[in-house]
Amino acid sequence: MAPDMTTLKGKPFSRAEIEGLLRRTLFYTPSFEIYNGVAGFYDYGPPGCALNANIIDLWRKHFVQEDNMLEVDCPMITPHEILQTSGHVDRFCDWMVKDPKSGEILRADHLVEQVLEARLKGDKEARGQATVQVDDPKKKKKKTHGAAQAVKLDDAMVQEIEEVLAKIDNYSGPELGELMEKYDIRNPATGNKTTAPVEFNLMFQIPNIGPSSSLRGYLRPETAQGQFLNFAKLLEYNNGRMPFASASIGKSFRNEISPRAGLLRVREFLMCEIEHFVDPEGGKKHARFHEVADIQLNLLNRDVQLSGKTDITRMSVGEAVEKKIVDNETLGYFLARIQLFLHEIGCNPDKIRFRQHMASEMAHYAADCWDAELQTSYGWIECVGCADRAAYDLTVHMKKTGQPLQVKERLEEPRTVEFWAAETAKKSFGPRFRKDASAVQAAVDALTDDLKEKLSLELKDAGKITLNVPGVNDGKVELTSDLITIERRTRTDNVRTYTPNVVEPSFGMGRILYALCEHVYWSREGDESRAVLSFPPKIAPISVALYPLSSHADFKPLIARLSTSLRKQRVHFAVDDSSASIGKRYSRRDQLGTPFHITVDFESVKNMTFTLRERDTMKQVRAGEKEIVEAVVNMVNGDETWEEVQGRLPTFETQEVDE
Amino acid sequence: MAPDMTTLKGKPFSRAEIEGLLRRTLFYTPSFEIYNGVAGFYDYGPPGCALNANIIDLWRKHFVQEDNMLEVDCPMITPHEILQTSGHVDRFCDWMVKDPKSGEILRADHLVEQVLEARLKGDKEARGQATVQVDDPKKKKKKTHGAAQAVKLDDAMVQEIEEVLAKIDNYSGPELGELMEKYDIRNPATGNKTTAPVEFNLMFQIPNIGPSSSLRGYLRPETAQGQFLNFAKLLEYNNGRMPFASASIGKSFRNEISPRAGLLRVREFLMCEIEHFVDPEGGKKHARFHEVADIQLNLLNRDVQLSGKTDITRMSVGEAVEKKIVDNETLGYFLARIQLFLHEIGCNPDKIRFRQHMASEMAHYAADCWDAELQTSYGWIECVGCADRAAYDLTVHMKKTGQPLQVKERLEEPRTVEFWAAETAKKSFGPRFRKDASAVQAAVDALTDDLKEKLSLELKDAGKITLNVPGVNDGKVELTSDLITIERRTRTDNVRTYTPNVVEPSFGMGRILYALCEHVYWSREGDESRAVLSFPPKIAPISVALYPLSSHADFKPLIARLSTSLRKQRVHFAVDDSSASIGKRYSRRDQLGTPFHITVDFESVKNMTFTLRERDTMKQVRAGEKEIVEAVVNMVNGDETWEEVQGRLPTFETQEVDE
């Protein structure tokens, strides 16, 4: 799928325009700007905060309340020992390179990707093929040493580069170093060769917790660890019932090497994470899978990417699980639920795909992972990860702490289990081996089932077996059948103990918010400057704006009256009583994505009727206070559409002179 | 006011019981417990998260939406330079002492307070007076070297200690050191003398932002700085109108020296902060002050505390402002609004007071400060600070960055300003002083109005004046009236430029949550173990629980039907279909504070009616689905009381056999 660089209404897309709009209207702005800013940090202003709060509220309803998840809120500061156990101290790293002359530090994979993409683009230009124009004034200003410009490559090289780019996320640091050598990849800003890639840990360090330096920690890289540490408490809270899910909403941190790309790569970000704990036996079925089985997904699986392609397969999640493209029902259930959520907040269904991670791209804890990616002017962006972490985390924490992070399942039918037993004769064994007894016993205990089966036959045939016991005699010890018995036995289990597996849908809320803004952005026909953000009513920062036609005193009590009604109904509204013309005021509200507008005019003073205008269609209806407020409440709650309201309330036609 | 150590229904209060309950039911639990925990960090479990979310939601409505505040969300990681400018690097400190033998580090003021309080208690015991029993098993286990036990003090000493304790927050580090010497205050755990108090900065350090170590920072100690840095953007967003307020909801951090006391003293905590920007001229009036002027507050002002007392004055906020006990209307407006909020979430009105800070207790930026304190078993606890930060923060940031953090007010009536002008004769001045001209001009420019007035008379009388100009001639320069004119002039200003003052209500949400739990906690008559948390319906973690009488299949569709109705009305509900008796299930829900209970029984299957039971009264009504759901929605939204519902729906009497 080629990137779709048109807006909602088919006009050419300008990133500079939308980013300018979002900053100007305070959806978000760079942090610490009066101190010249720090890359990778953003402030949300009033509309950004309201949009964020509405999306989080919807997330809580869609996931937490719908599936009775157990929400927890844990600290961001996390002691060293925990993140060492989880593997983050050793493995939560990116590869960085340094320009030895300029001192600039770059992320190795981003550098390779950026330079090779520039070469492909140069090749297309040289061949006279149109390339996608993404209007980004910053990029134009950059120098481009080392990145080829309008240079034709031979066909084999083009294919080679395309294949490298398709699996760019699959390379290790040393492999990236080899690619940089092979393709002579240099810092585009200076033309210099860089140092070889070295690892950089992405966690922010906290050197001391409390006044002494004996306890250090990090800012968490994910909310997940707090949830795992609470597993035993949550299982008990859930009356021991499995499966269940926990959930957390909170900030996490990545000390990015060289953050760019606005909200898409930041150092402090809001995550919503779910940890769904499931029995690893029985194929990880999900009780509500049938509710979503028919939902169609755009899938880009691992094999397609490894073959150097990016072709999408569209199929129902039911079929994907049946064909084992998606491993199991639980994973499939969440992929479908994630898509439903993205649709509900207003993402463009054609700009959503699910991409499977390649082997070496996966986080150290993941057994499988699918990303929900949203298409933006920056390309396809990972916005939600859905990883199968298997039993990794619970196992490592249990091993480290000795706490039982397991489920004890009372079996309805006691289960008879056959097993191989190797038992030594306690009485004669000790006197026979004396100081070596425990070493020999350890060698016996370490025997695998396969070996036990083989040795049992030897013992039967020869009356003795020989074991390897390092450090005893010449390393070999003979055991006769008076000293050891090896046989098949059975036991009856009433309880089954297992470590649950974890399926983890993990949402990067800043990325979703930015991609959504690109998806709902367009501009009015015939007037480029009239930008509109078509948020669905239920998540728009402000649901309805009230406008007195002018500053005339008669309008004030009516505005107050409507305000009281809307407040009582818990509708988020704003009064715009500035002296600008109604047209200008509508236009300003379009930029904030306000879906409904109520105007108070002289007719209102006479007969208590008001006009209600909808943002996208600019159509209006006119009715009394009760009807108008009720219509707004219904539309914000999703109980009625604008078309239905238009159908039942009288249309109002007006010449908006000043628009 | 002596601490009121009874529960809501007058029974003796047990802190061990309520803290046990809150941990067992996962309102909150110590973090990292399977790793043996770290002091000062807590996890919120499912009911804690829901309670917190409801309180925050109410806060946003009560403050942000009600007064059209501009919400912002800024990073927690904050560069060094900003917090150095704000004064936090130098002055956000506590005084700590160290036990040189055990290595234990203690907060100096807490140590003095703890030891002196123990002596007063010992004195009361020795005199045979009853002391308040706070049941805290941890305290009992502690050794108490150095803290007197049942030792009678002479009357003068008792009075002296009481006076020290009344102003314990007013001492500097050296003063605390003197008190420790004077009263021989030692580490109670060991009986050892400690080192003298030294300062410890309470911010968590971030040694490097990004891969190089050139940029360091801290975790923010308050959300306020992010709001100040955005002042110019927010003023513009508000169309330049004053006054206005910004608001932030987010985590802040204090690297506490030795945190104890549960949720009351933690290292990572949620704050809700408002920065209300107001013109310093005109007495800081507030347009909505009349709406709150009659509200009665419990006030403990600075003078009363300095006289060593803790007597409360009860008066209306209108009177307090009129009498200048509370400095101005804006401060008074927020004190009243804070009290209304605390009432709305369910705090006990008798356990709220407002205490004014003493001079040296105030944060470095504050000109005045009142704390809303809530009474708990730990004493009166600061839960909301309401500080007048004057122009401190905007001024220091403006000075540091050169950015205009000011308001330009277009004056309706141009304003005529008289001023003293000292003007040199440009033509003759330069040739006369040559290389010294700029030094002499600087001396002229530096003249104050008072000096100018004096010199103008000299110039008139003598035709010349003498200025001190270091480094020129012998340090004195004579100026004759052909070289300088000094006179009274007038100018007309159309614009007034000023730096706003800031009034800051700042909420510690964890403390409020804990204090609230103590305020609403009680136990049922005649059955000590049946604890109840009487949260108001609108903030209870779960609004309503549904109970099928048994696991009979006929109940399932009815539960599903009620669930759908409640979900559609956005009511937070839970289904409790465990096999426990109805009585046990009610009892478990009481501990979570669930206010309403709907039971599905065999009668329901026959005629589609259900019982609705209220938590505190245990009374029941019975009606059809529509009426029951409507009543719950009304009560949760605050539109109807339980008494009103009882009045209009038929009462249901039952023998609850198994309760």
Side-chain angles (χ1 to χ4, degrees), chain A residues 6-8 13 18 21-22 27-28 44 47-48 50-56 58 263-264 339-349 351-352 372-379 381-384 508-522 532-541 591-593 615:
Chain A
T6 55
T7 66
L8 198 59
F13 181 86
I18 186 175
L21 170 71
L22 293 174
F27 273 87
Y28 65 89
Y44 288 85
L51 178 61
N52 219 11
N54 292 343
I55 294 177
I56 290 168
L58 203 70
L263 284 193
L264 299 183
Q339 176 164 296
L340 288 173
F341 172 73
L342 294 173
H343 287 179
E344 197 173 353
I345 63 172
C347 288
N348 182 340
K351 296 186 174 183
I352 302 173
E373 295 186 330
L374 296 177
Q375 197 183 42
T376 72
S377 63
Y378 291 94
I381 299 298
E382 169 199 349
C383 290
V384 189
M509 302 309 272
R511 289 181 167 199
I512 292 173
L513 184 142
Y514 176 77
L516 171 64
C517 288
E518 278 205 8
H519 287 195
V520 300
Y521 169 76
W522 58 289
V532 186
L533 291 169
S534 284
F535 297 116
K538 72 171 72 165
I539 69 137
Q591 299 189 356
L592 294 168
R615 173 195 60 208

Side-chain angles (χ1 to χ4, degrees), chain B residues 510-526:
Chain B
R511 289 181 167 198
I512 292 173
L513 185 143
Y514 176 78
L516 170 65
C517 288
E518 277 205 6
H519 287 195
V520 301
Y521 169 76
W522 57 289
S523 48
R524 295 256 184 241
E525 280 296 318

